[in-house]
Amino acid sequence: METIETLQKEIASLKEQNSKLQLTLSDVKIDTQYATSLKDNNLRFRTIFESSRLGNKIIGSDLTILEVNAAMLSLLGYDRKEELIGTRILDYTPQEYHQHWKQLQESLWRNASPSFSLETCLRKKDGSLMWCNINSIIFQDNDKTYGFTIIENITVKRELRVHKDEFINIASHELKTPLTSLKAVIQLFNRIIKKDPVITEKVIELARNAEHYVEKLTRLVEDLLNSTRMGEGQLKLTKSKFTLKDLLDGCCNHVRLSGTHQIKHTGDLSLEVIADKYKLDQVLVNLVNNAVKYAPGAVDIIIHVEDLQDNVMISVIDEGTGISEDYIPFLFDRYYRVNQDGNQNSGLGLGLFISAEIIRKHGGAIGVKSELGRGSSFWFTIPKDI
Ligand code: ADP
């Protein structure tokens, strides 16, 4: 009897141990699956890292290079990975670009901004310079932080851009001189014929049109010249103190005279700023001209002023075509034009680029709120600086 009871207990204990073993076995299975998937992921990452035609590198938190791929070696003209591993990217950066790199690295590592892009140049093993586009991200692995960087050689693209800018610069300079003379002649001609009793209304109108087209041409040439200057970082501000009323009253008379649209001012125009009045006028003219161009059926264009304590915000609001949100991130890029609803309006895609550069130079921000079919509100802020 006793033996049967003992055997039953043993059977129960064996069953319990068996079920525990089953559980452990399934854990082991999961662990092996996890380890296999990790291994697969690792293999996939290594294949992508190694076979990318773009230079790839991984750096540690002390900024030393831990890993590079074959493309990175060839970009910098080295043969063996060991030559790069243990060095830092600043070792390959000409002195004049160090500060730029340092600021970006600091923003990435200390302020934990998740990624950055940078156009800069690196020195190759043979001493020659290579222009490149850098994209970096920060990632965590086993409680440690690493940086992963992709480097693209853009030397040829950049040379083409520099040649194009040089050409535009020379061509617009050459155009500007005869255009200025032509403008002066037409203005004088207009003044003379107005006083002449023999000249017919038709001739006066033609001469007025000629002045209008020369104005338009002058603005286009100015835009081209400005855009190359800005690309070279040559934008200089001449600041003075003025009220926003001074700025707005003198701005966009050409629109008022044409009679197609009405410009209304709202908000506190008595606000004062210290800024470059001529350049802000240029920004407003760009925004208002766009409102006229892209809101042909609407009558009112509102320029609204808002006090933001240390800054002022100015918005140019129209009830025109509006812009699809897909295009908005690119609007302020150089030469960007929206190809929407068969955009028939002429332009160079420079007005918003130039406006953004002027506002950035003032330490302000620029943007747009827009709804397709309803209209747009282009806004910018500038510090009062008072
Ligand atoms: P441009 O007018 O010469 O094309 P801009 O840089 O001034 O160049 O504007 C870029 C693009 O933004 C324009 O091509 C146009 O499609 C769009 N855009 C600008 N302002 C407006 C507006 N008020 N309403 C609708 N679209 C606009």
Side-chain angles (χ1 to χ4, degrees), residues 286-287 290-291 293-294 318 321-323 331 336-338 343 346-353 376 378:
N286 277 336
L287 300 184
N290 278 347
K293 233 182 354 179
Y294 301 106
D318 68 61
T321 54
I323 308 155
L331 284 184
Y336 187 80
R337 308 203 65 229
V338 175
N343 182 1
S346 63
L348 297 172
L350 286 175
L352 291 181
F353 166 76
S376 311
F378 278 84

Side-chain angles (χ1 to χ4, degrees), residues 74-318:
S74 117
L75 277 186
L76 288 174
Y78 287 83
D79 305 314
R80 290 178 306 110
K81 292 186 175 180
E82 295 72 45
E83 291 179 272
L84 298 184
I85 290 172
T87 62
R88 293 175 186 203
I89 199 70
L90 282 185
D91 299 336
Y92 310 92
T93 311
Q95 191 64 37
E96 58 269 38
Y97 299 100
H98 273 207
Q99 199 47 34
H100 200 183
W101 264 101
K102 279 185 180 156
Q103 275 169 8
L104 287 162
Q105 283 175 338
E106 230 150 70
S107 86
L108 193 64
W109 291 86
R110 306 223 190 301
N111 305 339
S113 79
S115 64
F116 77 67
S117 300
L118 160 71
E119 191 175 308
T120 187
C121 83
L122 292 173
R123 197 176 291 288
K124 295 171 65 160
K125 190 176 181 182
D126 64 8
S128 62
L129 289 181
M130 171 194 66
W131 277 93
C132 49
N133 211 1
I134 311 276
N135 277 290
S136 271
I137 54 160
I138 289 287
F139 68 96
Q140 304 280 336
D141 189 21
N142 280 335
D143 292 338
K144 282 193 180 154
T145 310
Y146 298 91
F148 173 58
T149 306
I150 299 176
I151 300 182
E152 183 190 4
N153 185 348
I154 54 159
T155 312
V156 176
K157 261 195 233 167
R158 196 173 183 281
E159 268 169 16
L160 284 175
R161 200 174 72 204
V162 169
H163 287 321
K164 188 181 72 188
D165 284 354
E166 269 169 14
F167 171 76
I168 291 177
N169 203 7
I170 294 169
S172 39
H173 259 298
E174 292 299 316
L175 284 169
K176 201 180 163 185
T177 321
L179 201 54
T180 314
S181 312
L182 183 62
K183 192 173 157 186
V185 171
I186 291 184
Q187 280 172 345
L188 187 64
F189 181 64
N190 261 321
R191 246 175 273 150
I192 294 171
I193 61 171
K194 263 186 211 152
K195 290 180 200 151
D196 195 325
V198 207
I199 303 286
T200 62
E201 266 306 311
K202 185 71 195 160
V203 175
I204 293 178
E205 192 194 326
L206 288 174
R208 209 185 299 129
N209 282 346
E211 190 172 342
H212 169 75
Y213 288 119
V214 168
E215 276 291 341
K216 213 169 162 184
L217 202 53
T218 310
R219 266 204 297 274
L220 284 174
V221 172
E222 284 287 337
D223 275 359
L224 280 173
L225 262 178
N226 277 329
S227 81
T228 51
R229 281 190 198 129
M230 279 164 198
E232 292 159 13
Q234 285 178 10
L235 176 66
K236 305 236 166 2
L237 299 181
T238 311
K239 293 190 177 183
S240 62
K241 190 172 177 175
F242 54 90
T243 66
L244 294 183
K245 184 169 171 18
D246 286 342
L247 175 69
L248 298 189
D249 279 353
C251 166
C252 303
N253 281 332
H254 62 287
V255 176
R256 290 189 188 92
L257 287 175
S258 78
T260 57
H261 291 74
Q262 259 189 4
I263 301 180
K264 293 181 176 164
H265 300 159
T266 56
D268 185 358
L269 299 190
S270 66
L271 292 171
E272 279 188 321
V273 292
I274 295 180
D276 189 322
K277 192 172 165 199
Y278 174 76
K279 297 236 163 46
L280 288 190
D281 180 82
Q282 200 179 337
V283 174
L284 278 170
V285 169
N286 277 336
L287 300 184
V288 169
N289 279 351
N290 278 347
V292 170
K293 233 182 354 179
Y294 301 106
V299 176
D300 290 338
I301 296 169
I302 297 168
I303 305 185
H304 180 66
V305 172
E306 214 174 314
D307 190 352
L308 305 178
Q309 305 277 4
D310 296 335
N311 298 278
V312 291
M313 183 184 213
I314 302 182
S315 311
V316 177
I317 304 160
D318 68 61

Side-chain angles (χ1 to χ4, degrees), residues 47-59:
T47 314
I48 296 169
F49 184 86
E50 274 304 332
S51 56
S52 169
R53 67 172 188 84
L54 301 173
N56 286 349
K57 72 175 172 66
I58 294 177
I59 57 170

Side-chain angles (χ1 to χ4, degrees), residues 311-312 356 358-366 379-383:
N311 298 278
V312 291
I358 293 174
I359 296 304
R360 263 182 229 129
K361 190 81 185 176
H362 275 88
I366 189 163
W379 59 264
F380 64 88
T381 61
I382 49 155

